[in-house]
Amino acid sequence: MNFQASGLPEVLPLLKGKAVYSLDFSLDGRGNPARGVCAATETELAIFRDGKETFRCPLAEVEEYTTVQLVGSGAFGIVRGGKPEQLCICTQSELNAFAELGKLLEYHKETGVFPEPDGEDEVKTCPKCGSILPEGSSICFRCAPKGKYLARVIGLAMKYKGALIGAILATAVSQLLWIIYPFMQRIVIDDYITPKNTDYRSLLVLLGCYLLFPVGMMLLEFLNERCTTRVSISVGRDLRRELFEKIQEQSMKSITKRPSGEQIKRISSDTEKIQEFVANYGKEAVVRLLSTLVILIVMLVLNWQLTLLVLIPVPFAILATQVIFKYIRRKYDMVWNKFSQSESTLHDILSGIMVVKTYGSEKREIARYTGYSRRFADSMFKADRFWYLFFPIIGFVITMGEYFYLYFGGQQVLIGNMTLGALIQFAAYIGMIYGPLRWIIQLPRFIAEAAVSAAKIYEIIDEKEDVSDRPNPVELDIKGQVTFDNVGFGYKVYKPVLKNISFEVKPGEMIGIVGPSGVGKSTLINLIMRLYDVSSGAIRIDGVDLRDISQHSLRSQIGVVLQDTYLFEGTVLDNILYAKPDATMEEVVEAAKTANAHGFICKMPNAYQEYIGNKGYKLSGGEKQRIAIARAILRDPRILILDEATASLDTETEKLIQEALGRLTQNRTTFAIAHRLSTLQHADRLVVLDKGRIAEIGTHMELLRNKSVYYNLVMAQRQTSRLSNN
Ligand code: ADP
């Protein structure tokens, strides 16, 4: 975890005891830059600024921890003896971590335990370079071991050995032909195109051979392209599949920590970059480096003095590239960050386009997206401007060698030390190494870009699953008995949502889950579906711990009708079939009839084949819900989950839905959360949650008689509905 300040080693001698948590802060009391560390040991809280202690106090004396948002910065403080004290000023980006630190220390005050921070809300920085990590990322793409990731990409390409060898051979042979070509040129010029030569026949034969070169080259190029494309497309496809599979298998916690736009980008553009890299650079780099080496050897053998002369500017160019590359890389990192932000914003806006339209905030969103897009374009412009200014200069420096060569080589021909053919042959080789040299100089940039993409892809692929099947999980044929055994859960360790939840549900029973908003009703249901694992205790189905049941067998026997039904792009039929792709049309119609959906489906122009558009925009809320119910009926689950399924509908639709639900819940264990308590009256039992615990359990009538939490909730709701009716 990152609750380890980078400035901690400096202040360690001043700290009495080991630091449990420590954070850097970078402003002094007046908002000027400073090197600060806030550290908590097992007994004390201490603040250091520029290596000096500015505050120390026993943890036992602290009554409360506070974080305050200031203009462009924030303050961390405590309350001691009833008086607030401000301890340090931090930047905006550091403030989240301080807020988290406050919560961790509060938790310690209550329980005596120092919880392990999960650091999800914390702004994470790279321990090596100190830069802020992108949202949802746990590695710094600048400092990540890129060679290791690229090696994995190469390993993946090796799966297609045949095509890879074909491509390498084709390129190598065509390079070889290129090397031989100038030899032919030299023979033609020096031996045949001479004033005294009369052997026209041999000249013709030689020129015929000349013609074979482009033909051979063309065939080799075709083979090369075919093999390379096969390898690169296959590598891209494999990576996309692996990445997508991994994301599908991830727990909700892992999936939601990254913006979905970011995940889409990794699946599409990062794999595309790798694909491009394999196609254009991977194999090419090997072959070009090798052929440059061979040409250099040939040149050295032919005329080593001229070769060295030609190569004089090369080390300077390489050195300059190395230095400038370091600088340029930072610029390209910036470009990536800005691009990522603009893509995520775009995705966010498009996902919430309904809200944007209903609030008439199109102009604001246009300004927001344009802002991000402009910052991305600016950063790209700056990075590219630099690159394109620098690159021709390097090109020019390298080409300087050519002038040396023409001058000295020309002199040698004039004094008769060298033939014209040899000069032309040499010139051809120079052309052949300059091209690859320029290309090789650019290579680090492409390698770096591909390596960053590989790191981003493998970051997800390598992520440890927090909700995973144990080896040989139980494939359970669920009857429907569900037991909560002293279950505790919190999205964050130090902030429990549910505490000591224990109750047992018989197969086929309908349980209503009731409680004020935010008490943990949806969380309880998420735990049954094992979208998250319990923090303590256990949930058992038919006596088997949920964590021992295979996720597939569990989820295939749970049906869900959520408040906001998600419909996929496609027809009504596709959406109902989603629950059971192999169902027959009769089964689908039967399910739709039971769900009271058949009627409205048949009224649509194309009935079951009606295309319902993106997210089902063509349907009303009640219609969408009935499709969701039909889906659940078709699945025929043993456990059914209804989350606020009847919220905000007109009376007629609600009646239809209640009827459908009544049929759906028969003989299935059902957990239902309803906004309006009246809809849960027919539940067998109600579990009433209050402050994260079970306050009471019983039937509607029993709980009303208790005149406790449930009674108060019902009374409060009646009052509200009476007020709204008046
Ligand atoms: P309810 O369904 O009773 O309204 P929830 O179960 O949705 O309540 O939420 C219970 C608590 O857990 C709330 O304080 C909520 O903010 C928090 N919470 C819900 N989902 C998440 C999440 N994915 N990450 C962090 N906290 C969450």
Side-chain angles (χ1 to χ4, degrees), residues 256 491 495 497 515-524 532 644 673:
T256 49
Y491 293 96
K495 200 177 157 200
V497 174
S517 173
V519 75
K521 302 183 290 294
S522 307
T523 305
L524 191 99
Y532 300 87
E644 312 226 343
I673 303 177

